[in-house]
Amino acid sequence: MKWDLVRRDFKKNKYIYLMVLPVIAFFIIFSYWPMYGVIIAFKDYSPGKGIFGSDWIGLKNFTDFFSSYYVGRLIRNTILINIYDLIWGFPAPIVLALLINEINSRVFKRTIQTISYLPHFISLVVVCGIIIDFTATDGLITTILSYFGVKPTNLLMRPELFRTIYVSSGIWQGVGWGSIIYLAALSAINPNLYEAAMIDGAGRWRQTIHITLPSIAPTIIILLILRLGSMMSVGYEKIILLYNSSTYETADVISSFVYRKGLQESNYSYSTAVGLFNSVINFVLIIVANFISRRVSETSLW
Amino acid sequence: MSLKRKSTGEKIFDVFNHAILVAVATICLYPMIYVLFASFSKPSLLAKHRGILFYPLGFTLKGYQLVLENPNIASGYFNTIIYVVVGTGLSLLLTAFGAYALSRKDLLWKKQIMVLITFTMFFSGGLIPFYLVVMQLKLINTRWAVILPSLISVWNLIVMRTSFQSIPESLIESAKIDGANDFTVLFRIVIPVSGATMAVMTLFYAVGQWNSWFNAMIFLRDRDLFPLQLILREILISNDANAMTRVQDASQLVDTDFYKMLVKYCTIIVSTAPILCLYPFLQKYFVKGVMIGSLKE
């Protein structure tokens, strides 16, 4: 009987099903098929035999990875880049939003905002091209730093500077754009609160501490928790545009390692295993972050 | 407006605050200005110069001439336009299909389908299995390898669905009573009344496709298919002299490292200027996009 109803429904709403079909097909092909393909992490994949026909080797790829020279370096770099980005990159848009919020002139405000969005619209390849040019031995940034006594060398060849360059250029590109969401939260604060505070004699600093910050705290907390959920992921795109073999020591992260081993050295099974390890940790972190978010702020992704 | 006069401390703060924000704006803007000035400068003067540029050193359009004559740039632009137009068009169509179907309460297993889709945001098979799938589909070295795998963004789908759900049910019901089918309802009613959302989605998909280079790098072999960003990568990152000029010019230019530098600056301007000229006018849509995305349904 039930299938009879289903059939009737299909007939009545056939166009809706026709619409959803390609969408489901897309996700099955480009998301779930690769998830099935993950089993090659436990196999000795050879293109001739295919995913299904390759021989099982159990956890060998994982034990190889965890006993390799790289494992500590990769995990350390992945986490350190995230920590630096959290310490410097996370508060930057909040501070910018607070500063912009203190401006009275509408025109000045709009101008600053529009200009600060500009780097967001420059493509990553061009941003990295500019970074490479500016940090060359005779580049703009190298020259400016030399006024402060830094010896002019190619800054991207120096492993100890890679994270600084990565994180600071990220702030440059994202700070204005990141401030949008906080500015929106700031504009939603009831002006009566400020008037009341002024009548009570609170100056602007006290108003910021007692009214502004508490009002945007929920936004900050949610974004912070989501940020913590991605502590083990760093995109490979910017890394592989900026790193070189002399900076692998500090620059190589798990995702860039997967790209190099997998696609440049065609070590499919091994790099799939490394990628799977990273995916699983990310997944767990997001679940935990979401759980905490629901507890703390009653807001969650699902 | 202000209820009381500003204290001295507040006045000092105001001065500092303006100064800091002007400094921030300068730092955001200056790198592009530097590149712009450098792109017009005489390469011989530029090579000797160190540090900040306040104006172009001399004036030459030689760099731009080389860039505009470079067939790689032209074909890169052409390919990118194809990828952006076809990709964005298909993306919008499929996202609208999905968003509309999933906003209808008639759809069976709606919840299950949403879980299936949302799950892909949090877990993926990873780069290598994804690559092998595209390989098995025989898409390697075709334009479809750039367009198909990134067609639907889960995030955009959810945002569009949320927007469609806010359309009054009565509007859709009355159209259906008049005999309209779901395709007609979607194209004649739902999409037209969701103008702002559709504009935001168009921009997000178009900018995403414009900026993307990684899939093109791993999937394409033929230079004739390369999008602009991949050509830029060769010129700006790999420092590849052959990518910078017409082939017959390459031999002449190897000895003029000066021109290599100039060509890089001009390439940046030529490839970035269109977006930088457009974004101040489109930014309100982008800002709206950030806002829609941040709201929970």
Side-chain angles (χ1 to χ4, degrees), chain B residues 2 4 19 26 35 39 51 65-66 79 86 89 109 117 122 133 149 165 173 182 194 207 232 238 273:
Chain B
S2 80
K4 63 173 195 144
T26 310
V35 172
S39 72
Q65 194 196 333
L66 287 169
N79 287 324
V86 177
W109 307 303
I117 291 175
F122 306 112
V133 164
Q165 277 171 335
E173 285 306 320
D182 282 297
S194 314
V207 169
L232 293 180
S238 319

Side-chain angles (χ1 to χ4, degrees), chain B residues 43 60 62-63 66 244 253 256-264:
Chain B
T60 173
K62 185 72 184 146
L66 287 169
M244 290 187 199
L253 279 167
T256 53
D257 259 359
F258 289 177
Y259 274 101
K260 238 175 158 177
M261 203 164 59
L262 191 66
V263 163
K264 283 191 187 185

Side-chain angles (χ1 to χ4, degrees), chain A residues 26-40 51 272, chain B residues 123-134:
Chain A
F26 171 85
F27 286 104
I28 287 178
I29 293 172
F30 290 110
S31 298
Y32 286 92
W33 191 359
M35 279 186 219
Y36 161 77
V38 147
I39 60 170
I40 66 167
I51 295 176
T272 301
Chain B
F123 190 82
S124 78
L127 180 63
I128 308 303
F130 170 70
Y131 177 84
L132 294 177
V133 164
V134 175

Side-chain angles (χ1 to χ4, degrees), chain B residues 179-249:
Chain B
N181 67 36
D182 282 297
F183 279 103
T184 320
V185 171
L186 175 63
F187 288 112
R188 292 285 167 78
I189 297 171
V190 172
I191 290 180
V193 304
S194 314
T197 310
M198 297 310 287
V200 170
M201 295 291 112
T202 310
L203 286 174
F204 277 6
Y205 276 126
V207 169
Q209 191 59 259
W210 170 275
N211 283 340
S212 79
W213 60 279
F214 187 79
N215 282 0
M217 179 183 77
I218 62 176
F219 293 139
L220 298 181
R221 309 274 175 272
D222 266 341
R223 298 182 55 83
D224 296 344
L225 300 176
F226 282 9
L228 183 62
Q229 298 300 327
L230 207 50
I231 302 290
L232 293 180
R233 176 174 163 271
E234 292 183 341
I235 296 177
L236 302 175
I237 314 284
S238 319
N239 206 6
D240 180 348
N242 287 323
M244 290 187 199
T245 51
R246 285 181 296 170
V247 181
Q248 60 263 44
D249 284 357

Side-chain angles (χ1 to χ4, degrees), chain B residues 35-134:
Chain B
V35 172
L36 184 70
F37 286 164
S39 72
F40 288 113
S41 296
K42 282 219 157 69
S44 51
L45 298 172
L46 196 59
K48 274 181 279 178
H49 179 81
R50 296 282 178 279
I52 293 168
L53 279 175
F54 292 101
Y55 43 82
L57 303 168
F59 183 81
T60 173
L61 289 173
K62 185 72 184 146
Y64 284 100
Q65 194 196 333
L66 287 169
V67 170
L68 295 176
E69 282 175 358
N70 181 350
N72 291 310
I73 299 276
S75 84
Y77 248 112
F78 173 74
N79 287 324
T80 291
I81 290 169
I82 291 184
Y83 297 137
V84 168
V85 171
V86 177
T88 308
L90 286 176
S91 290
L92 284 172
L93 190 70
L94 280 188
T95 311
F97 280 172
Y100 177 76
L102 289 163
S103 70
R104 304 282 77 223
K105 53 183 186 315
D106 311 324
L107 188 73
L108 277 180
W109 307 303
K110 190 170 71 176
K111 231 189 168 136
Q112 287 82 341
I113 296 172
M114 275 314 283
V115 171
L116 187 89
I117 291 175
T118 318
F119 182 71
T120 64
M121 266 170 100
F122 306 112
F123 190 82
S124 78
L127 180 63
I128 308 303
F130 170 70
Y131 177 84
L132 294 177
V133 164
V134 175

Side-chain angles (χ1 to χ4, degrees), chain A residues 286-301:
Chain A
I286 288 170
I287 302 246
V288 172
N290 192 58
F291 176 76
I292 299 171
S293 170
R294 197 154 39 185
R295 277 294 180 80
V296 174
S297 60
E298 288 168 1
T299 314
S300 61
L301 288 166

